[in-house]
Amino acid sequence: MSDDAQDLGITESKSHKPGEWYAEVVQKADLADYAPMGGFIVTKPRGYALWEGIQDALDGWFKETGVDNAYFPMFIPESFLEREKDIVEGFDPEVAWVTQGGHDELEERLAVRPTSESIIAPFMADWIRSHRDLPMRLNQWCSVVRWEATETKPFFRTKEFLWQEGHTAHATDGEAWEEVWTRLDQYARVLEEVLAVPVLRGRKPDHDKFPGAETTTCVEALMPDGKSVQSATSHHLGQSFAEAFDITFADEAEDEQTAFTTSWGLSWRALGAMIMTHSDDQGLVLPPTIAPTQVVIVPIWQADTKEDVLEYSEGIATDLETAGFSVELDDRDERNPGFKFNEHELNGVPLRLEIGPNEVDDEEVTLVHRPDSEQTVADRDGIVDAVDAHLDQIFEKLYDAAAANLDENVREAHSPEKILGTIGQHGGYVKTPWCGDEACETVIKDEIAAEIVMQPVDDQGGASAGEPVRPDEDATCGVCDEPADEIAYFAKSY
């Protein structure tokens, strides 16, 4: 085996060493590299293109639903953070501080933003005067820093990460709840319709909600190794931030009212979930909906057929590009077809078209699916429709496999021993009634590092929106056997 071929190959096994395998896929597929400072990564152009795919989808949906983009400073004065005590207590261990500028010590420490509620809320308070200014919906695309990552895992665990954070203010509690659900649905949509990753919608238990929030809702995705990934969150902040930062408005009767606020965010952790869900021991696997290159054409020729094969391939490439597909024609002379196949498989190109002299003579094209190497032949005249149909099939394969993994790995158990045994043997989610006491989570967490990652919630709308789904009236807690009025999903998580 040549050095080049060995460099292309994935040497770790997804099933046996998922952590090492994941790191190798990210690097060899040219998505990211490790920065010289621990906990940071360099996002390479191919990796950033995937983030742009998420941005393009979400940003359009945000704007369709009344959100305006803005940008706020990355530094937050310490006095601003301290105005909301729960934020201070919740993020203090993770905050990076700037204490010196140039040669001068700063009069007040500046936090490198761990999240931006404390810098955005004061400006909302200035900009909102009347009920006519509501709702106010702001979003920013930026990075945040949380000094917590001990082991760097690209897109999953880094001290700095890219995300978007939305911040809104509303006249009523009901309108704020509608906002929370709108954003959670958009997050579920981008994961399911763009990344082909099915998710569970729910809320976090009260002891694990966002600091200062009344309720934190979330979407959770199950990885093939049985661990859950919190892929996005949408928080109902009630009036706590509005009271702390004096976000008030004059209602129609000119009486002063306190606003209700929300915040919501999705980070590049969603990319990590996609990579880990779909990729395999040959490398990266990407859904066509986000792949920077959807189709690669690999011409196969001998000296006497090169001109005809390339002319035929170029015509197909032109037709596909004109139809709106992202296409690469790999006509490199210095690489043989086998090398090209392996390289494009490693890079996750969803669909490969192979064109040799036989295809030219028969006016056909050979199509190969990246996820499972399924091979079919299509007529040249119908290649645009064929490619469109095959890209849809590839997306469905990826989504269906991930959905089957999720469906097969939600189990029920009712006793600490059965909860621990089920997670230990199978991974995945264990659903059980819960009394609401954090101590019962600790029993499981201390034994097997699994926790309550989600509680199913009531459907959107109505007075009970956001409230946990209730078990049967006579249900007892799966850990302590005391009466239970909530349902919990236990799992190990990233």
Side-chain angles (χ1 to χ4, degrees):
M1 181 184 292
S2 70
D3 289 343
D4 282 345
Q6 192 160 3
D7 285 344
L8 278 183
I10 300 297
T11 61
E12 298 291 355
S13 164
K14 182 177 183 178
S15 58
H16 294 108
K17 291 186 175 180
E20 293 85 346
W21 163 85
Y22 175 85
E24 190 177 13
V25 168
V26 166
Q27 286 191 285
K28 287 191 172 180
D30 229 19
L31 302 182
D33 211 339
Y34 292 90
M37 317 82 69
F40 294 83
I41 64 170
V42 175
T43 309
K44 300 177 83 170
R46 294 191 75 250
Y48 198 82
L50 299 178
W51 179 239
E52 287 179 317
I54 289 179
Q55 280 185 304
D56 289 346
L58 276 181
D59 203 59
W61 299 338
F62 291 163
K63 288 171 179 172
E64 288 172 5
T65 47
V67 179
D68 294 312
N69 282 334
Y71 187 79
F72 291 82
M74 69 181 298
F75 299 124
I76 303 174
E78 184 172 14
S79 58
F80 279 49
L81 278 182
E82 289 177 342
R83 290 174 67 177
E84 216 298 322
K85 62 180 181 63
D86 288 329
I87 280 280
V88 175
E89 293 172 3
F91 282 103
D92 186 60
E94 304 171 9
V95 175
W97 294 99
V98 177
T99 58
Q100 185 171 315
H103 298 294
D104 300 323
E105 186 171 332
L106 301 182
E107 292 183 6
E108 180 179 13
R109 292 198 301 174
L110 299 176
V112 183
R113 62 173 166 239
T115 183
S116 296
E117 281 80 1
S118 297
I119 191 69
I120 292 178
F123 287 92
M124 281 187 159
D126 286 343
W127 299 340
I128 294 170
R129 288 287 177 265
S130 162
H131 64 93
R132 297 180 186 87
D133 299 321
L134 298 175
M136 179 174 285
R137 299 183 175 98
L138 303 174
N139 175 68
Q140 70 172 352
W141 296 92
C142 62
S143 70
V144 294
V145 173
R146 296 179 185 175
W147 215 265
E148 58 177 341
T150 54
E151 177 190 351
T152 308
K153 191 179 186 72
F155 307 117
F156 274 121
R157 192 180 300 116
T158 52
K159 288 185 171 73
E160 180 188 24
F161 54 89
L162 295 179
W163 78 342
Q164 61 72 216
E165 51 178 317
H167 300 266
T168 70
H170 305 268
T172 69
D173 184 51
E175 290 173 4
W177 264 118
E178 287 180 15
E179 183 75 18
V180 168
W181 291 121
T182 294
R183 304 312 158 196
L184 197 73
D185 283 347
Q186 289 174 337
Y187 292 148
R189 182 181 174 191
V190 80
L191 281 148
E192 295 182 339
E193 296 183 12
V194 178
L195 306 183
V197 176
V199 295
L200 296 176
R201 296 168 174 82
R203 59 173 270 170
K204 291 294 185 182
D206 284 344
H207 62 264
D208 194 28
K209 64 188 178 183
F210 178 79
E214 280 195 3
T215 303
T216 288
T217 67
C218 60
V219 288
E220 295 281 334
L222 184 64
M223 299 297 98
D225 64 358
K227 293 183 179 180
S228 185
V229 174
Q230 177 184 291
S231 302
T233 52
S234 183
H235 313 290
H236 190 309
L237 302 178
Q239 294 180 308
S240 60
F241 282 87
E243 289 169 351
F245 292 95
D246 197 27
I247 305 175
T248 60
F249 64 95
D251 64 16
E252 293 184 9
E254 294 299 321
D255 294 326
E256 184 178 278
Q257 304 291 343
T258 301
F260 294 82
T261 65
T262 77
S263 65
W264 26 276
L266 177 142
S267 78
W268 66 15
R269 176 180 285 238
L271 289 180
M274 177 196 68
I275 295 163
M276 184 164 281
T277 295
H278 302 310
S279 301
D280 58 24
D281 289 349
Q282 281 67 56
L284 184 66
V285 177
L286 295 175
T289 39
I290 199 171
T293 302
Q294 296 173 303
V295 182
V296 63
I297 300 174
V298 180
I300 304 166
W301 67 77
Q302 302 295 331
D304 60 333
T305 59
K306 179 176 181 181
E307 185 176 344
D308 289 342
V309 168
L310 283 179
E311 182 180 354
Y312 187 82
S313 300
E314 287 166 358
I316 290 173
T318 298
D319 288 354
L320 293 176
E321 288 171 347
T322 301
F325 298 106
S326 173
V327 182
E328 178 184 344
L329 173 59
D330 190 347
D331 58 358
R332 291 174 293 174
D333 262 328
E334 70 275 13
R335 295 298 189 190
N336 63 43
F339 182 94
K340 294 176 183 179
F341 294 167
N342 290 334
E343 183 177 59
H344 295 300
E345 285 182 0
L346 173 67
N347 289 336
V349 179
L351 183 63
R352 182 172 75 241
L353 306 189
E354 299 176 7
I355 298 172
N358 290 338
E359 280 82 6
V360 175
D361 290 343
D362 296 338
E363 295 188 357
E364 293 177 338
V365 180
T366 299
L367 299 86
V368 183
H369 292 193
R370 169 62 182 89
D372 57 3
S373 299
E374 179 186 340
Q375 190 173 105
T376 58
V377 175
D379 291 336
R380 166 67 179 90
D381 288 345
I383 192 60
V384 169
D385 289 341
V387 164
D388 193 33
H390 280 272
L391 291 176
D392 285 345
Q393 290 173 25
I394 291 167
F395 182 93
E396 290 170 6
K397 285 180 181 179
L398 296 176
Y399 187 88
D400 289 349
N405 178 59
L406 176 59
D407 291 344
E408 293 165 6
N409 286 286
V410 178
R411 300 177 176 88
E412 296 189 20
H414 197 284
S415 76
E417 295 77 19
K418 289 181 179 177
I419 294 170
L420 291 167
T422 303
I423 295 174
Q425 181 178 356
H426 303 289
Y429 299 109
V430 172
K431 176 183 176 183
T432 193
W434 180 46
C435 64
D437 190 339
E438 184 180 358
C440 288
E441 180 191 57
T442 303
V443 169
I444 305 301
K445 196 172 186 178
D446 287 349
E447 288 290 329
I448 203 170
E451 59 189 356
I452 298 172
V453 297
M454 188 206 72
Q455 296 180 264
V457 293
D458 194 10
D459 283 340
Q460 307 164 23
S464 61
E467 289 298 309
V469 171
R470 304 299 176 186
D472 295 337
E473 286 187 12
D474 57 351
T476 58
C477 179
V479 179
C480 69
D481 213 31
E482 292 295 318
D485 64 353
E486 300 181 34
I487 295 173
Y489 280 62
F490 282 87
K492 294 183 177 181
S493 62
Y494 281 99

